[in-house]
Amino acid sequence: MAEITLTPRAAKRINEIMGAEPPGSSLRISVNGGGCSGFSYAFDITRSREAQDVAIERDGATVIVDPVSLEYMSGSTIDFVNDLIGQSFKIENPLATASCGCGTSFSL
């Protein structure tokens, strides 16, 4: 399974968000069924971590991904963008064959 990459911009933004959260908090990204393209990403702040979860770390920021979501995100890059639509985390997923216009859902 290919590694998930966290960009420096994403790490910086995660650290800013976590600065207002209780110690030990992390960003959890998961893949759920649904969305206009079939699957959607969910972003949650969590303080819990299961033994089989994978932690992606960069520059002090941590992203937690569960094993099932990891299969759908293999080789992805997590970035943070600030464009005309607004600020958001963007996931470049090489497994996705299509995505919706806003980039929050995808199909395989």
Side-chain angles (χ1 to χ4, degrees), residues 21-44:
E21 297 297 325
S25 295
S26 299
L27 178 66
R28 178 179 290 278
I29 300 177
S30 56
V31 175
N32 299 320
C36 52
S37 292
F39 295 98
S40 62
Y41 298 109
F43 298 85
D44 298 294

Side-chain angles (χ1 to χ4, degrees), residues 7 30 37 45 61 65 70 97 101 105:
T7 68
S30 56
S37 292
I45 296 172
V65 180
L70 190 64
T97 57
S105 68

